[in-house]
Every structure is written in structure tokens, then in C-alpha cells.
Amino acid sequence: MSYQTLQSAVTARLEIKKSEFITYAYPVTSREQAMFHVEQLREQYADARHHCWAYIIGDPDNTTSAGFDDDGEPSGTAGRPILNVLQHKSIGNIIVIVVRYFGGIKLGAGGLTRAYAGSAQAAVDAMQLCPYVPMTQLQILAQFATEGQCRYIVESLNGTIDSVDYSKEVRLSVTIAEADIEALKQRLAMDGQVLTSAE
């Protein structure tokens, strides 16, 4: 499961035969987040003719959570071309919204498809992408004397310590890349115990 995600929101503008296409791309992790951005732009550009969008949550090659909307444009000429660009570039956890102000000149189905795909591509060209790293949360049980070493090991694997609970022992809740779990277990062998979620 190797794909890229957007680091921060971007905007791009294209003018095609007097129609203005304003494209926004946002990093998202749920359909609710994606729809929030659509509603914001509907309010911000209330006088625009169309607000077409496509989103992918998770892996772009396994789009169980993807969606698009032509918002009044002829079927298949707006949302699908935007989605195709995201899939082709292997970008996940993203929504791209294209706001269109109609300029009076009809573009035809082929022209619209090219315009929306071009708008999405213009946003992609402006993006800073980073590889998606699947993260997981787990708990480490340690003695008071080895807590510092456990913290050091987690941080050396680019993990984060979310919380620490002190009772008879120290329980650290951490977030770490799934790929690093085995390395964590090996390096903690003397200093702490990685708990499975059932414990």
C-alpha cells in the first residue's frame, strides 16, 4: 500500500474560453471532512455555477472510500476526470474541488472533461506530496528505571508518545509506523514490553 498524501492545502486557477476554474485541494481522512470543505466553498463562492469535486480516503488503488460529483455539469465530465487524475498520480486522503464560473462559451463534453482534468492537474502540480506511512497505536509496559530508554527508542523510530500512565509500572501509549513495530519489540526486549491491544 504505497501512495502519496498532500502535506497542505493548495489552490490553482485556470481560465478556459472565458470560464474561470478555481481548484482547491485539501488533505482529508474522512468523507465528513471532505464534505465540510465542499460546503465551505459553496458558501464562499455562492455565485459560482458549479462546485465539482472528487475525493479519495485511503489507498487510491483500492477506492472503497472514494466519491465524486459533477454538480450539474454533463454526467462524467467533471467529477470523474478529477478522480482519474488523483488515481493516476496515486494520491490518497485528499479532496479536490473545482469551482467554475461560466464565461458564456460552451466547452462541449470533451472540452469540459479536459478542463476539469486540467484543473485537477494544475492543483497536483502545485502540491507538496509525501509518502503515506500507515501508523498504529500501541502500549509499552516498562519499569520506572527503564522509562527513559523506552522513550528514547520510540523517538529514534520517529514514533510519538501520546500519554504516560504511572501506577506500579509505567504504561506508555505511543503512535509508531506499522512497519517499525518489529524493530520496536526487538529494541525494547530488555527495557519494556509491547502490549497487544487485547492486554
Side-chain angles (χ1 to χ4, degrees), residues 14 16 21 23 77-86 96 98 110-125:
L14 289 180
I16 301 166
F21 294 84
T23 307
T77 62
R80 170 62 73 187
I82 297 168
L83 185 65
N84 288 345
V85 169
L86 298 178
V96 172
V98 181
L112 282 172
T113 301
R114 284 189 296 279
Y116 281 102
S119 296
Q121 184 60 52
V124 168
D125 292 343

Side-chain angles (χ1 to χ4, degrees), residues 156-196:
S156 72
L157 291 168
N158 296 317
T160 55
I161 293 162
D162 305 320
S163 66
V164 181
D165 183 32
Y166 297 99
S167 55
K168 286 187 231 136
E169 298 175 296
V170 181
R171 185 182 286 250
L172 298 100
S173 296
V174 304
T175 301
I176 193 163
E178 286 178 10
D180 291 331
I181 293 173
E182 282 311 309
L184 178 69
K185 286 179 179 175
Q186 287 171 2
R187 289 179 60 188
L188 282 176
M190 299 299 286
D191 300 305
Q193 175 192 358
V194 177
L195 302 179
T196 59

